[in-house]
Amino acid sequence: MEKYGAGPIVVLDYDPNWPAMFETERARIAHALGSQALAIEHVGSTAVPGLASKPIIDLMVGVPSLAEARERCIEPIEALGCTYIPEYAAWLPGELFFRKGPPGPWTHHLHVMEPSNPRWETVLVFRDYLRAHPEVSRAYAEIKQALAASSREDIAAYRNGKTRFVEETTAKARAWRANLSGR
């Protein structure tokens, strides 16, 4: 079993402070990385108003080159109190992954990748769809709360339990975005 930090998985009601927490970290990262940060996005459930979530701010940082980011960005990000987790490359290929905060619960997750990485678009379209469809967001919250209760400390079971919903919703989100853009 892949354990979740220092205790059980907790999904909390939406905290209106999450956007400000993102903005504070976004500014720190932008300052530390300068022109290496092409974009910094608030993603994950804390980025969706009203959505219950594990209280971890997820940030996605777009960089011009992942190879260059490996050389130039790890140290400045670590200086912000983040820990680089290189073994996550097997699970999240094409990105650098960092955690911030005490071991479980962490306060921030940072995903560094090129915006051309297919995951960049996938994460953004899912977030945007949940923001635009509160009923879908509520259904997702119910799934996450039930999984947190049943998975306890097993983060893999929690993640895997969300997979079908996330994949189906992402497909709907892509169709929704295509329809919005008139494609």
Side-chain angles (χ1 to χ4, degrees):
M1 175 176 77
E2 181 185 354
K3 290 194 123 192
Y4 180 70
I9 299 162
V10 176
V11 174
L12 301 178
D13 288 339
Y14 180 77
D15 183 339
N17 293 313
W18 287 337
M21 292 169 68
F22 158 74
E23 188 52 43
T24 297
E25 201 64 17
R26 186 208 62 75
R28 295 178 75 229
I29 293 165
H31 184 284
L33 298 184
S35 63
Q36 284 295 301
L38 301 174
I40 303 172
E41 295 280 349
H42 187 187
V43 297
S45 295
T46 63
V48 179
L51 180 55
S53 177
K54 294 191 313 292
I56 300 171
I57 307 299
D58 285 295
L59 299 100
M60 212 165 51
V61 179
V63 293
S65 159
L66 191 64
E68 200 171 307
R70 272 192 193 90
E71 294 176 21
R72 299 179 60 191
C73 296
I74 293 173
E75 190 174 303
I77 292 171
E78 287 183 327
L80 298 175
C82 298
T83 302
Y84 176 48
I85 314 288
E87 56 270 22
Y88 268 52
W91 177 52
L92 299 167
E95 67 183 77
L96 307 177
F97 179 74
F98 300 80
R99 285 184 174 142
K100 183 176 180 180
W106 298 278
T107 59
H108 298 76
H109 285 167
L110 180 61
H111 304 263
V112 176
M113 69 185 79
E114 296 172 16
S116 60
N117 182 324
R119 202 165 113 72
W120 182 273
E121 181 271 340
T122 298
V123 170
L124 291 181
V125 74
F126 182 75
R127 176 203 65 191
D128 294 348
Y129 188 78
L130 291 178
R131 284 177 172 175
H133 297 86
E135 70 286 357
V136 179
S137 178
R138 281 190 296 277
Y140 189 39
E142 290 173 12
I143 290 167
K144 292 180 352 156
Q145 289 163 330
L147 285 168
S150 66
S151 301
R152 304 261 318 127
E153 296 180 35
D154 186 350
I155 192 63
Y158 176 82
R159 265 195 321 263
N160 293 338
K162 298 186 309 177
T163 299
R164 182 174 175 185
F165 178 89
V166 171
E167 288 174 352
E168 290 174 357
T169 301
T170 300
K172 291 175 189 172
R174 286 190 170 116
W176 167 76
R177 177 163 287 158
N179 190 41
L180 285 179
S181 64
R183 287 192 253 161

